[in-house]
Amino acid sequence: MASLTQTARSGTLGPRLRRLPGLAVVGNLGSRLVAMGALAVVTVLVARAGGPSDVGVLALLRVLPGLAGVLAACGLPSAMGYFIAGPERDHAQLWPTVIAVMVAGGLVGMLGWFALAPLIQRYFISSTSLAVVVAAGVTVATQLPVAVAKACLQALEDLRGCNVVIAAEEAAFLPAYLLGHLFGLRGPWLIVVSLISADILVAAGAWVRISRRVHESGVRLGGRAERGLAGRVLRFGLRSQVGGTVGLLNLRFDFLVLGAMAGPAAVGIYAVASKYAELLRLPALALTWVTYPRVARMGASTFGPRARRLMAPLLAGGLLVAAALALLAFPLFPWLYGEQFRAAIWPAVIIVFGLVVEPAGGVGSAFLLGTGRPGLNSWLLGAGLVVTLVLDVVLIPAHGAVGAAWASAVAYLLTDVLLVLVMWRLTRARP
């Protein structure tokens, strides 16, 4: 039986992409830019139709259900790069185990959401009804297969497939939203139905592609899950997901605090600023998820010198892009979103400069994950979360969105500097 790794090595794209990893990063970045563009169009439509309140609902429903699903599955997506590309890639029961964990995690997360819906509605999404919040729980089970599929395709070296899913995850929402609008849906109900429809469409296409890739190699997706393997996947994923959850909280905890203290309208203003600033995170995400499975295959000793050589150009590029985005925000926001979103400009500028080290930090995070150190990666991300928690509580009550921006910027900068320093130390040549 041919292994997945052997199949990837015999493909026409695999060797070329290994010689030129920059092509893989550019492709991944391009797909993220398409997704960001689609999200920007959707945000404009929602802002024009429902104002900041509906934008806040959309932002929260893109964060909370996805987080619930990944937590219920013990960080399954973050474990895929290591298990599918790393030491256990040829395990006969790997794929049925992955699917079993994914299905169980989606169901547990969805049921947990239903149980907590009254609290979620009361404290975070109070501008809409409890029925809408309950219905949004379905997206817990629909978002998780999309997240797992992206990680699987990346680990399988199906870079084109992974890029299509990344772009489609956001782009599919737009036709679903427009179609729902034509059928008379409005407001939060339109948002929820569009999210569910888009997730189902993208997940179905992604898993059909995975099935084809796996079957071409002579391996079966179906079969009996192995308890021991599931335990190893869950332990790795859980250690990694501590970092993933911490990173997401660093990225979105300010949304939750603003939502609790100032309501969805304030979240809508801040969501525009945050999403714009996060354009600078796209290269970092591309570098992390392209590099992570490569590190798992190559090993630390081979990849380390390459990683060190990347640091200087990545730091310089981050600074240049940050300056360009900051200047562009001033004319762009009122023209694109309307005068009521002018208040989002300074928060966006502040966050942008907090992300200047993010591309270099992305390589550092990929190195730790790919060398089997998800716990260390989580500890470093945890340092940033502590800063976020403290500064959000101190700054948001007095300064609102600007305070949230300062809290996030400081936390991002600290986390990325720590990731770079630790990777630099671990890759230092031994005497």
Side-chain angles (χ1 to χ4, degrees), residues 58 61-62 139 142-143 173 176 190-200:
L58 174 62
L61 292 184
R62 289 304 276 168
T139 66
T142 59
Q143 287 187 38
F173 181 89
L190 174 57
I191 292 171
V192 170
V193 171
S194 300
L195 286 171
I196 295 171
S197 302
D199 287 341
I200 291 173

Side-chain angles (χ1 to χ4, degrees), residues 243-255 270 380-389 392 404 407-409 411-412 415:
T245 302
V246 166
L248 185 56
L249 287 173
N250 275 339
L251 194 64
R252 294 291 181 260
F253 185 77
D254 40 17
F255 279 51
Y270 187 70
L380 297 178
L381 293 174
L385 177 60
V386 171
V387 174
T388 300
L389 293 173
D392 273 347
S408 293
Y412 296 156
T415 301

Side-chain angles (χ1 to χ4, degrees), residues 358-376:
E358 187 85 358
V363 173
S365 187
F367 178 83
L368 295 178
L369 292 172
T371 54
R373 296 181 174 95
L376 178 55

Side-chain angles (χ1 to χ4, degrees), residues 29-383:
L29 177 59
S31 68
R32 294 180 187 278
L33 287 172
V34 171
M36 185 68 78
L39 182 60
V41 173
V42 168
T43 303
V44 170
L45 290 176
V46 174
R48 295 291 186 180
S53 181
D54 276 6
V55 174
V57 170
L58 174 62
L60 291 168
L61 292 184
R62 289 304 276 168
V63 173
L64 295 177
L67 177 59
V70 172
L71 286 176
C74 294
L76 180 63
S78 59
M80 292 299 88
Y82 187 76
F83 281 86
I84 293 177
E88 300 205 58
R89 57 182 173 264
D90 295 325
H91 196 294
Q93 293 171 284
L94 176 59
W95 285 101
T97 301
V98 167
I99 292 172
V101 173
M102 180 182 71
V103 172
L107 290 175
V108 170
M110 184 172 62
L111 293 175
W113 179 280
F114 292 158
L116 295 173
L119 296 177
I120 296 170
Q121 189 268 340
R122 179 176 180 181
Y123 291 106
F124 298 115
I125 320 179
S126 58
S127 65
T128 190
S129 68
L130 178 60
V132 171
V133 176
V134 171
V138 176
T139 66
V140 176
T142 59
Q143 287 187 38
L144 182 60
V146 177
V148 176
K150 288 188 296 185
C152 290
L153 288 167
Q154 188 74 62
L156 289 169
E157 287 194 327
D158 186 353
L159 303 182
R160 179 177 296 177
C162 179
N163 293 341
V164 169
V165 175
I166 290 171
E169 185 178 12
E170 300 294 349
F173 181 89
L174 182 58
Y177 184 86
L178 294 175
L179 188 61
H181 193 277
L182 288 176
F183 278 93
L185 289 172
R186 297 291 185 273
W189 276 112
L190 174 57
I191 292 171
V192 170
V193 171
S194 300
L195 286 171
I196 295 171
S197 302
D199 287 341
I200 291 173
L201 178 64
V202 175
W207 280 97
V208 166
R209 190 173 183 106
I210 290 171
S211 177
R212 288 174 180 169
R213 287 278 297 181
V214 172
H215 282 256
E216 285 171 2
S217 69
V219 180
R220 295 177 57 197
L221 277 179
R224 179 180 296 179
E226 183 189 299
R227 182 178 299 179
L229 177 60
R232 293 193 295 276
V233 170
L234 290 172
R235 284 192 294 274
F236 186 101
L238 188 58
R239 286 185 294 149
S240 178
Q241 189 54 38
V242 171
T245 302
V246 166
L248 185 56
L249 287 173
N250 275 339
L251 194 64
R252 294 291 181 260
F253 185 77
D254 40 17
F255 279 51
L256 304 182
V257 176
L258 276 174
M261 292 184 174
V267 175
I269 293 290
Y270 187 70
V272 169
S274 180
K275 290 295 184 183
Y276 176 79
E278 287 167 22
L279 284 169
L280 192 51
R281 294 192 73 241
L282 298 184
L285 290 170
L287 284 162
T288 297
W289 295 110
V290 167
T291 304
Y292 168 21
R294 292 173 185 268
V295 177
R297 291 189 182 92
M298 296 167 62
S301 60
T302 302
F303 182 79
R306 302 185 184 187
R308 291 169 72 92
R309 290 194 295 269
L310 285 171
M311 291 300 102
L314 289 176
L315 291 171
L319 184 59
L320 289 173
V321 175
L325 288 174
L327 291 173
L328 184 60
F330 288 89
L332 182 64
F333 279 27
W335 173 75
L336 187 60
Y337 295 105
E339 286 296 322
Q340 58 185 329
F341 284 89
R342 186 178 290 275
I345 294 175
W346 278 110
V349 171
I350 293 167
I351 298 171
V352 158
F353 281 105
L355 290 168
V356 292
V357 189
E358 187 85 358
V363 173
S365 187
F367 178 83
L368 295 178
L369 292 172
T371 54
R373 296 181 174 95
L376 178 55
N377 187 65
S378 297
W379 277 108
L380 297 178
L381 293 174

